[in-house]
Amino acid sequence: MKLKSLFIVTIFTQISFAQYGMFGKNPLIHLENFDKQRTHWGYFLGFNSYDFKFDYLTVGKDIEVKSTTGFSVGLVGNLRLNDYFDLRFEPGFYATQRNLTYPNIEDSVDRLREVKSSNLHFPLLLKFSALRTGNIKPYLVGGFSRTLNLGSNANAQDDNYSNRFRMKKWTSNYEIGFGVDLYLEYFKFSPSIRGVFGMGDELIRDNNPNSPWTGNIQSMKTRAIFINFTFH
């Protein structure tokens, strides 16, 4: 909720520039020919919030997932297809942490797993833009991505019995979101919010099939929210 609130405040702060003539009824048009470029580049900074979606083999108490706010940084490559569609590649680094609490485990140390991830994220996205109005152009974006988890512990022989939580190194996702292009005097600024949904099971089970940490899990998939501030 904090990330969503931050995004909403940012949007309304930018739109409030209308009172200074930037986005008013008769604004001074900025970067009029910017979007006519075949290709252009940029970078983004942002925040992220990662979660897990668990499915279980038998009914029981759910694993509690506490998300934290992570940071993101990356590059943007944009290929113009026509007046409405662009193809975007946005490789980035996403640092995050998820804390898992297992309610069926009594020991306070064993019941908590801190899952830290340093992700290299590679999304290929299709951007659909509305017609530009003054210095504002809203858009929708969606596509697919691959994620390399540098902290997955995928090659470790130890498991949760040695306090080591293991995940698969590579995962696939689909993404959908929206944003707005704001044409300022010297650059284009694009705040956006995007949901990311893992498509496959990411969990590596413990060596013991009856493990209290992994034995009852049918699948574990990433869910995430990205809030990015892009500069072109």
Side-chain angles (χ1 to χ4, degrees), residues 27 35 43 52 57 65 80 116 122 154 156 194 213:
D35 291 337
Y43 67 93
F52 282 127
L57 296 172
V65 184
R80 180 179 183 270
K116 298 179 180 180
F122 304 98
R194 200 158 76 235
W213 295 278

Side-chain angles (χ1 to χ4, degrees), residues 77-219:
N78 191 93
L79 174 64
R80 180 179 183 270
L81 302 179
N82 55 41
D83 290 341
Y84 296 96
F85 290 96
D86 297 85
L87 191 65
R88 299 174 73 104
F89 182 54
E90 300 186 3
F93 174 78
Y94 292 76
T96 189
Q97 179 173 323
R98 287 158 282 192
N99 297 327
L100 308 183
T101 301
Y102 293 81
N104 292 323
I105 299 178
E106 295 184 0
D107 184 85
S108 60
V109 175
D110 287 340
R111 74 183 306 183
L112 176 65
R113 287 293 177 265
E114 296 180 348
V115 183
K116 298 179 180 180
S117 299
S118 299
N119 294 332
L120 296 179
H121 191 66
F122 304 98
L124 185 63
L125 306 169
L126 185 65
K127 175 185 176 185
F128 171 70
S129 301
L131 292 176
R132 176 173 173 173
T133 302
N135 290 309
I136 299 177
K137 186 167 70 172
Y139 64 85
L140 300 174
V141 66
F144 296 92
S145 59
R146 291 277 286 169
T147 302
L148 173 61
N149 184 351
L150 300 177
S152 67
N153 294 320
N155 297 323
Q157 297 300 314
D158 295 334
D159 56 23
N160 279 291
Y161 286 92
S162 300
N163 198 19
R164 192 180 297 275
F165 190 88
R166 299 182 299 177
M167 299 170 58
K168 295 178 182 177
K169 186 172 293 186
W170 284 97
T171 57
S172 299
N173 323 276
Y174 68 91
E175 309 188 14
I176 188 169
F178 66 93
V180 58
D181 290 331
L182 303 174
Y183 297 82
L184 307 181
E185 186 174 0
Y186 298 110
F187 61 92
K188 183 169 75 171
F189 174 59
S190 303
S192 65
I193 184 169
R194 200 158 76 235
V196 180
F197 307 89
M199 296 190 295
D201 182 22
E202 302 171 27
L203 180 67
I204 296 179
R205 273 71 180 171
D206 293 338
N207 300 320
N208 179 2
N210 297 317
S211 163
W213 295 278
T214 64
N216 193 38
I217 298 176
Q218 183 177 18
S219 68

Side-chain angles (χ1 to χ4, degrees), residues 1-17:
M1 291 301 294
K2 291 182 180 179
L3 290 176
K4 292 181 181 178
S5 299
L6 177 61
F7 176 76
I8 293 171
V9 170
T10 301
I11 292 295
F12 278 98
T13 299
Q14 293 298 325
I15 293 176
S16 69
F17 288 167

